[in-house]
Protein backbone atom coordinates (compact mmCIF):
# COMPACT_ATOMS: atom_id res chain seq x y z
CA UNK A 1 0.00 0.00 0.00
CA UNK A 2 1.30 3.44 0.90
CA UNK A 3 3.38 2.73 3.98
CA UNK A 4 3.31 4.10 7.48
CA UNK A 5 1.52 7.48 7.59
CA UNK A 6 4.28 9.15 9.60
CA UNK A 7 6.82 8.44 6.85
CA UNK A 8 4.89 9.42 3.73
CA UNK A 9 6.07 12.21 1.44
CA UNK A 10 3.39 14.86 0.97
CA UNK A 11 5.46 17.30 -1.08
CA UNK A 12 3.59 16.48 -4.31
CA UNK A 13 0.31 17.68 -2.75
CA UNK A 14 1.65 21.02 -1.46
CA UNK A 15 0.72 22.98 -4.63
CA UNK A 16 -2.93 22.10 -3.95
CA UNK A 17 -3.09 24.15 -0.74
CA UNK A 18 -5.53 26.97 -1.38
CA UNK A 19 -6.93 25.31 -4.52
CA UNK A 20 -10.71 25.05 -4.52
CA UNK A 21 -12.21 21.56 -4.23
CA UNK A 22 -15.01 21.17 -6.78
CA UNK A 23 -16.02 17.57 -6.04
CA UNK A 24 -15.54 15.02 -3.27
CA UNK A 25 -16.84 11.46 -3.38
CA UNK A 26 -16.57 8.88 -0.61
CA UNK A 27 -17.24 5.52 -2.24
CA UNK A 28 -19.11 2.80 -0.33
CA UNK A 29 -16.11 0.52 -0.84
CA UNK A 30 -13.92 2.96 1.14
CA UNK A 31 -11.81 5.16 -1.18
CA UNK A 32 -12.13 8.95 -1.28
CA UNK A 33 -11.74 10.99 -4.48
CA UNK A 34 -11.29 14.77 -4.58
CA UNK A 35 -11.29 16.90 -7.74
CA UNK A 36 -9.74 20.37 -7.64
CA UNK A 37 -10.52 23.42 -9.78
CA UNK A 38 -7.24 23.02 -11.69
CA UNK A 39 -8.34 19.54 -12.82
CA UNK A 40 -6.16 17.58 -10.39
CA UNK A 41 -7.76 14.38 -9.07
CA UNK A 42 -6.58 12.77 -5.82
CA UNK A 43 -7.78 9.35 -4.68
CA UNK A 44 -7.10 7.81 -1.28
CA UNK A 45 -7.56 4.03 -1.05
CA UNK A 46 -8.52 2.17 2.10
CA UNK A 47 -5.83 0.84 4.40
CA UNK A 48 -5.73 -2.38 6.42
CA UNK A 49 -4.21 -0.83 9.53
CA UNK A 50 -4.97 2.92 9.56
CA UNK A 51 -7.78 5.38 9.00
CA UNK A 52 -6.88 6.24 5.41
CA UNK A 53 -8.72 9.56 5.46
CA UNK A 54 -11.25 11.65 7.31
CA UNK A 55 -13.13 14.71 6.16
CA UNK A 56 -15.23 17.26 8.05
CA UNK A 57 -18.08 19.10 6.40
CA UNK A 58 -20.64 21.79 7.12
CA UNK A 59 -22.44 21.52 10.42
CA UNK A 60 -19.64 19.50 12.01
CA UNK A 61 -20.36 16.21 10.22
CA UNK A 62 -17.29 13.98 10.03
CA UNK A 63 -16.74 11.05 7.70
CA UNK A 64 -13.96 8.56 8.47
CA UNK A 65 -12.54 5.69 6.44
CA UNK A 66 -12.02 2.93 8.97
CA UNK A 67 -9.42 0.25 8.24
CA UNK A 68 -10.78 -2.08 5.51
CA UNK A 69 -14.33 -0.89 6.07
CA UNK A 70 -16.83 1.38 4.43
CA UNK A 71 -16.73 5.07 5.38
CA UNK A 72 -18.76 5.92 8.46
CA UNK A 73 -20.47 9.19 9.30
CA UNK A 74 -19.81 10.27 12.85
CA UNK A 75 -22.34 12.46 14.58
CA UNK A 76 -21.57 16.10 15.18
CA UNK A 77 -19.89 16.77 18.47
CA UNK A 78 -21.23 19.60 20.61
CA UNK A 79 -19.10 22.69 20.28
CA UNK A 80 -17.75 21.87 16.79
Amino acid sequence: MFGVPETQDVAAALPLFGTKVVSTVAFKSGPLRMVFEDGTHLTWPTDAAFEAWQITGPGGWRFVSLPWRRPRRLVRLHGE
Side-chain angles (χ1 to χ4, degrees), residues 35-80:
V35 180
F36 295 84
E37 67 183 347
D38 68 354
T40 301
H41 292 219
L42 292 180
T43 302
W44 290 269
T46 57
D47 189 277
F50 299 98
E51 293 177 353
W53 56 264
Q54 66 175 303
I55 191 165
T56 303
W61 290 106
R62 184 175 300 156
F63 293 82
V64 178
S65 174
L66 301 175
W68 285 116
R69 296 187 184 152
R70 294 180 177 182
R72 299 289 186 239
R73 182 176 69 184
L74 303 179
V75 295
R76 182 170 46 122
L77 299 175
H78 294 290
E80 284 192 22

